[in-house]
Amino acid sequence: MIWDLHCHLSGVDGSTPDERIAMLMEYADRMGVERLVFFMGMNWSHEPTPDDLRQQNHEVLQAISHWHDRAFGFAYVSPQHVEASLEEIGRCIANGPMVGIKLWVAGKCSDEAIDAIIERAAELKAVIFQHTWFKVTGNLPGESSPLDLLTLARRHPQVPIICGHTGGDWERGIRAIRAASNVSIGLGGFDPTAGVTEMAVRELGARRVIYGSDIGGRSFASQLAKVKGADIPDKARQLILGQNLRRLLLPILREKGIEA
Amino acid sequence: MIDVNVSLSRWPFRRLPDDETPRLVKRLKEAGITQAWAGSYDALLHKDVDGVNRRLVEECNTHGDGLLHPFGCVNPMLPDWQEDIRRCREVHQMRGIRLHPNYHGYKLDAPEFDELLRLATENKLIVQLSVMMEDERTQHPLVQVPAVNTAPLSDVLSHHPAIPFILLNSQREVQGEALTRLAAAGNVYFDMAMQESVGGIEKLLRLVPHDRILFGSHAPFFYHESASLKIEESDLGETLRRMITVENASRLPHSN
């Protein structure tokens, strides 16, 4: 069972969300990926306006509308626009089919301004995915590092949170969130550097490691290789490839009456 | 299958799961690799280049089980570097060399690079050039090495049309029209270790002729499965798959 935590509509052929998701599903079939989580739309900006958030969420809603048996959506929200984000959580999750939220680079997640978004998502049992990087070349002004995520996770110790990209520089990223047991890591969206999954399983345990690809900018292939090529027990591999994501999603899926 | 992009010895900044040669060879064989062109991680920072090359040859002979073919290091910023080219061919009987201009500190419009290509042609050596080894964002803070600027390459290679020239790890830096121009510049080939995006090999084929793409994994720095799965992910058909994974490399001059 392979479930993919981290999928986008950008970087893909096709002029509409429907065309793009149909194409991605062909590749997913070829690679044995059964279910996929989509967030963010076809055109991105580092600091999206409320209208941008609505538009991008609309595109994801449209894309997944014909794929309810395979595709999930996370609502794209921003700590720069808390009220608009809460409205989007209401529209897309509380009153819509989405099952999580995505936070990107508009503001650091260590800032307490984000707390209202986190608390509302937690109330709905929505899965929380925060992009993180440790860039030796320098993060964007609003780009969170895994240490920012640790700060957030310690303010909300009962809320499961996913550390996107494992911070990119995963030797630092894994260490940064190691002590926060409510944080899992997303393996998608960085080079298939050998050893990452072995270190993650050793330091965090396999239940805190989740496969994702970051398609269409990345390939399924390079990101699946991190799990398929890792020297880890098969039981750990199964957890990482799908069982952990399913476990995190089950509470909200059950509330929505979605079978999984 | 022929993998044109593997490396032996130790990555300078961490241990890799397959950095012991017997274990790498086992992994390659399990993946169906019958021939792998191997450089050395020691080539990045060591100055005793012939020592690097001797160990590389010995490691290939001792543990390669007939699968590993050494590609030597030449650093044209070192004194008497021309002798290393001669030794690669005459002493070590290598079929090619692998260059790291960014780690060795020269640009591709440097006269030494032009001279190096001339000598490689004379010695009938395949030349590989690694554009980058690691995502610049994740490098060690004290050793930040920008990717090679390939802008001068088309012009330089026009003076050396006969040389088989392979760009490794290039797709993050060389994209779009620049990639197409470079493919037309001479006898230039590209491995696909750093080709990304969904269906990536199909996209690469829109920019580069199918007979110029070579299977390369960048193992053991990358999980070897990344390259194999990329071949599986793209809808290539058997003819194209075989060209990319075997025939294009086997047809290269000096490759046998």
Side-chain angles (χ1 to χ4, degrees):
Chain A
M1 180 180 83
I2 303 177
W3 286 25
D4 192 322
L5 165 71
H6 191 160
C7 303
H8 299 298
L9 299 171
S10 61
V12 183
D13 290 343
S15 56
T16 67
D18 291 327
E19 289 177 3
R20 292 187 182 192
I21 195 169
M23 174 160 288
L24 289 171
M25 288 300 181
E26 288 184 25
Y27 290 105
D29 286 342
R30 197 171 295 143
M31 302 307 289
V33 179
E34 296 172 30
R35 298 213 177 189
L36 304 87
V37 174
F38 285 89
F39 38 79
M40 303 173 71
M42 302 204 299
N43 297 297
W44 298 1
S45 61
H46 288 157
E47 297 186 355
T49 65
D51 282 344
D52 292 333
L53 296 173
R54 282 188 284 273
Q55 174 62 26
Q56 294 199 42
N57 289 330
H58 171 74
E59 290 167 357
V60 171
L61 287 167
Q62 177 60 38
I64 66 174
S65 63
H66 302 298
W67 297 91
H68 283 311
D69 56 332
R70 295 187 64 183
F72 303 116
F74 283 7
Y76 182 28
V77 295
S78 164
Q80 282 189 328
H81 305 291
V82 172
E83 286 306 314
S85 294
L86 293 173
E87 287 174 16
E88 283 301 278
I89 290 172
R91 180 175 76 96
C92 300
I93 302 175
N95 301 304
M98 289 191 174
V99 292
I101 63 169
K102 162 65 185 284
L103 292 144
W104 195 35
V105 298
K108 291 191 176 183
C109 63
S110 51
D111 190 328
E112 292 181 4
I114 204 172
D115 284 350
I117 295 172
I118 300 298
E119 287 160 8
R120 180 59 178 143
E123 282 175 9
L124 296 168
K125 301 184 176 66
V127 173
I128 299 166
F129 181 101
Q130 170 66 60
H131 164 106
T132 69
W133 262 86
F134 272 132
K135 294 174 180 168
V136 73
T137 50
N139 279 21
L140 295 164
E143 188 172 25
S144 300
S145 76
L147 286 173
D148 293 312
L149 186 62
L150 178 67
T151 301
L152 174 70
R154 284 181 167 158
R155 287 205 307 270
H156 303 274
Q158 305 305 316
V159 178
I161 304 174
I162 298 171
C163 177
H165 305 277
T166 317
D169 183 349
W170 45 268
E171 289 167 291
R172 298 169 70 197
I174 290 169
R175 292 177 63 90
I177 56 85
R178 182 166 56 185
S181 60
N182 56 324
V183 176
S184 300
I185 57 165
L187 284 178
F190 57 94
D191 282 343
T193 37
V196 54
T197 310
E198 288 90 337
M199 179 181 173
V201 170
R202 186 188 77 216
E203 294 296 333
L204 307 176
R207 285 172 64 88
R208 291 173 62 189
V209 185
I210 301 174
Y211 158 73
S213 61
D214 203 7
I215 58 163
R218 294 281 178 174
S219 59
F220 288 113
S222 64
Q223 309 302 300
L224 280 170
K226 294 173 186 170
V227 192
K228 294 193 171 190
D231 185 12
I232 54 175
D234 280 344
K235 187 175 179 183
R237 205 179 321 277
Q238 297 311 314
L239 286 168
I240 296 166
L241 284 174
Q243 292 172 5
N244 288 337
L245 177 56
R246 179 176 179 273
R247 188 183 68 248
L248 284 180
L249 285 168
L250 267 182
I252 191 167
L253 294 179
R254 283 182 176 141
E255 295 229 338
K256 289 177 175 290
I258 299 171
E259 287 188 20
Chain B
M1 292 167 60
I2 299 175
D3 186 339
V4 303
N5 184 7
V6 305
S7 299
L8 307 186
S9 193
R10 297 286 186 266
W11 175 246
F13 304 103
R14 65 171 167 268
R15 291 298 304 269
L16 307 174
D18 289 339
D19 65 10
E20 294 284 357
T21 306
R23 185 168 160 152
L24 177 65
V25 168
K26 181 172 182 286
R27 173 91 67 170
L28 295 172
K29 283 186 169 180
E30 288 171 353
I33 302 300
T34 54
Q35 190 180 124
W37 299 359
S40 171
Y41 291 128
D42 294 348
L44 302 177
L45 301 174
H46 290 213
K47 289 175 281 190
D48 176 11
V49 162
D50 194 56
V52 171
N53 290 336
R54 285 174 186 275
R55 289 195 302 278
L56 176 64
V57 170
E58 185 178 352
E59 192 73 1
C60 290
N61 290 341
T62 305
H63 299 294
D65 201 14
L67 184 143
L68 297 175
H69 295 255
F71 272 57
C73 168
V74 176
N75 177 354
M77 295 294 98
L78 291 172
D80 198 26
W81 59 270
Q82 295 88 344
E83 172 65 6
D84 292 316
I85 289 193
R86 186 194 68 78
R87 291 184 187 183
C88 281
R89 188 64 190 179
E90 295 181 11
V91 178
H92 305 310
Q93 299 189 331
M94 293 171 170
R95 63 179 58 174
I97 57 176
R98 184 174 296 175
L99 306 178
H100 297 282
N102 47 349
Y103 285 85
H104 295 165
Y106 61 95
K107 309 288 186 191
L108 301 190
D109 53 6
E112 290 88 350
F113 181 59
D114 192 66
E115 172 71 358
L116 187 158
L117 294 180
R118 188 185 67 76
L119 289 173
T121 304
E122 282 182 11
N123 283 277
K124 299 189 183 317
L125 289 163
I126 297 169
V127 175
Q128 295 188 327
L129 187 153
S130 177
V131 174
M132 61 194 305
M133 294 295 285
E134 182 184 14
D135 187 330
E136 291 177 30
R137 299 171 296 179
T138 61
Q139 291 178 338
H140 192 285
L142 298 181
V143 188
Q144 296 185 58
V145 184
V148 176
N149 177 4
T150 59
L153 198 50
S154 297
D155 185 48
V156 176
L157 288 174
S158 69
H159 302 123
H160 306 276
I163 197 162
F165 192 89
I166 304 172
L167 274 181
L168 305 177
N169 306 334
S170 64
Q171 282 88 22
R172 186 171 291 148
E173 288 300 311
V174 189
Q175 300 176 341
E177 290 180 8
L179 183 56
T180 303
R181 275 199 305 275
L182 198 47
N187 207 7
V188 184
Y189 297 78
F190 305 86
D191 93 324
M192 33 65 79
M194 287 197 177
Q195 174 65 32
E196 275 293 359
S197 80
V198 70
I201 307 300
E202 294 171 48
K203 290 178 179 166
L204 186 58
L205 282 162
R206 296 176 194 168
L207 299 168
V208 176
H210 55 75
D211 58 355
R212 301 300 185 88
I213 300 172
L214 308 176
F215 181 86
S217 68
H218 195 25
F221 185 78
F222 281 1
Y223 287 110
H224 190 270
E225 285 76 2
S226 173
S228 301
L229 289 168
K230 284 176 185 173
I231 296 295
E232 190 178 320
E233 181 171 310
S234 283
D235 185 13
L236 300 175
E238 179 56 22
T239 302
L240 274 178
R241 190 196 66 76
R242 185 159 177 78
M243 288 186 77
I244 292 169
T245 58
V246 184
E247 291 173 359
N248 291 343
S250 65
R251 287 174 182 161
L252 273 172
H254 325 317
S255 65
N256 295 314

